[in-house]
Amino acid sequence: MHALVVDDDPTTRTQLRALLGSWGYDVLEAGDAAQAESALARRDAPLLMIVDWVMPETNGVELLRRARSLPEASPLYVIMVSGKHESAAAAYALESGADDFVSKPLDPVALRARVGVGARMLAKSEALQRYAEEMSRLAEARAAEILHADRLATLGQLAAGVAHEINNPTTFIAGNAELLERVWPDLERALAQAGDARLVAISAEVPAMLAAVRGGAERVRRIVADLKSYARKGSSDPRERELANVNESVERAARLLGSRFKHDVRLELDLGDISACRIDPPTFEQALVNLLNNACDAVQGVAGATVAVRSRQRDDGIEVVVEDNGAGIPDAVMREIWNPFFTTKPPGKGTGLGLCISQRIIAEHGGALRASNRREGGARFVISGVGS
Ligand SMILES: Nc1ncnc2c1ncn2[C@@H]1O[C@H](COP(=O)(O)OP(=O)(O)OP(=O)(O)O)[C@@H](O)[C@H]1O
Ligand SMILES: [Mg+2]
């Protein structure tokens, strides 16, 4: 630790330097207030200052006042030294911002004890400072979490309402499109008999149009189902869940996406020996399907496209890792992926709900879902702590 000795008398400075040096301090000397101020402005500023009260030009009390008023003043323990012996002088020095007061001539034994007090105070103030910083970091993190949770809760209510409203009209659209498709061959024949070339040309387009309407309605239905599952309150009591094997869920989810793994994307399953645990298979599989879908999207067009799923029994529950060898997740995207409706996919392709729903499902299973990038390239999603 640096200690600063401020005294216009070189003999006193030499004496203090020798004493402080022998107690393990790195000693800086200043012969006047100006030198002291530049020493205090150093990057590794001294934390302890022994300052003479009476000096020509700026005296010790004035120097102290200035040092204390520096905007980013670091902790500084100040021992004021003076030839004055009256208690009024000591009181004045302490009121002016000194932490301690000693009279000349200096008594090395007493001074050592008082410097020791200063070191203890500094250590405590540093510990407090660290604690305060840690607390403020925690508070910031907590505030961000609350904001996120709040946004999700609002979305949940909104989603439930919207899903409910959209469900019925979507069913009409899909049902009527299906009905039209069924009666269309009869209508088409009737139109052909009318012999109007323009009508015949238009009618050739109708099956594709109806299929598009049905496809669109199906897509709306899926989004609504997603929103509903997002909005619903999951069974939070694990005892109501059945005992199931996570590996079977992984296999079922992979089967559901079978067509995506058939062609260009290789699926590697490495399922470890894990114990059965209480999960809600349909929702758990939904989370897995989301992760697998994302991984398949990420490896589109990649040579040797591979998605790997690994399950392991860990001390804190079951872990499932989904990895791909796609491009990975850029930092700016990583910050957003858990937010509802955040997607980098083209309109009509992604809703941006997948990860947000999955994270919630895993949390409802008592676990955590985290994302990172693999050193070798590609993304890694880790479900951990399930069934613990
Ligand atoms: N394996 C991955 N590799 C690279 N980026 C990914 C990966 N998984 C997710 N992402 C990024 O995170 C975003 C959000 O994913 P999320 O599953 O929430 O929504 P989405 O896939 O875009 O849409 P959907 O609602 O259809 O799932 C994606 O758009 C993508 O940018
Ligand atoms: Mg997705």
Side-chain angles (χ1 to χ4, degrees), residues 260 289-295 297 342-343 345 349-356 358:
R260 300 207 67 176
V289 165
N290 285 336
L291 295 181
L292 291 175
N293 248 327
N294 284 348
D297 287 343
F342 172 82
T343 179
K345 295 172 188 172
K349 179 93 177 54
T351 57
L353 282 171
L355 284 178
C356 164
S358 305

Side-chain angles (χ1 to χ4, degrees), residues 223-303:
I223 294 175
V224 167
D226 274 358
L227 282 173
K228 268 187 157 166
S229 86
Y230 178 77
R232 97 185 191 306
K233 275 211 87 48
S235 141
S236 49
D237 185 354
R239 281 165 308 186
E240 285 171 17
R241 299 200 178 121
E242 49 188 295
L243 264 180
N245 191 322
V246 165
N247 282 343
E248 281 168 19
S249 283
V250 171
E251 280 168 339
R252 257 196 303 274
R255 254 199 314 280
L256 270 172
L257 291 182
S259 64
R260 300 207 67 176
F261 291 119
K262 238 179 246 155
H263 306 295
D264 329 319
V265 183
R266 203 154 64 88
L267 173 67
E268 282 176 4
L269 285 186
D270 169 8
L271 304 179
D273 194 8
I274 57 180
S275 48
C277 62
R278 296 202 180 277
I279 58 169
D280 176 43
T283 51
F284 193 78
E285 283 154 31
Q286 191 190 345
L288 289 169
V289 165
N290 285 336
L291 295 181
L292 291 175
N293 248 327
N294 284 348
C296 283
D297 287 343
V299 297
Q300 276 319 299
V302 169

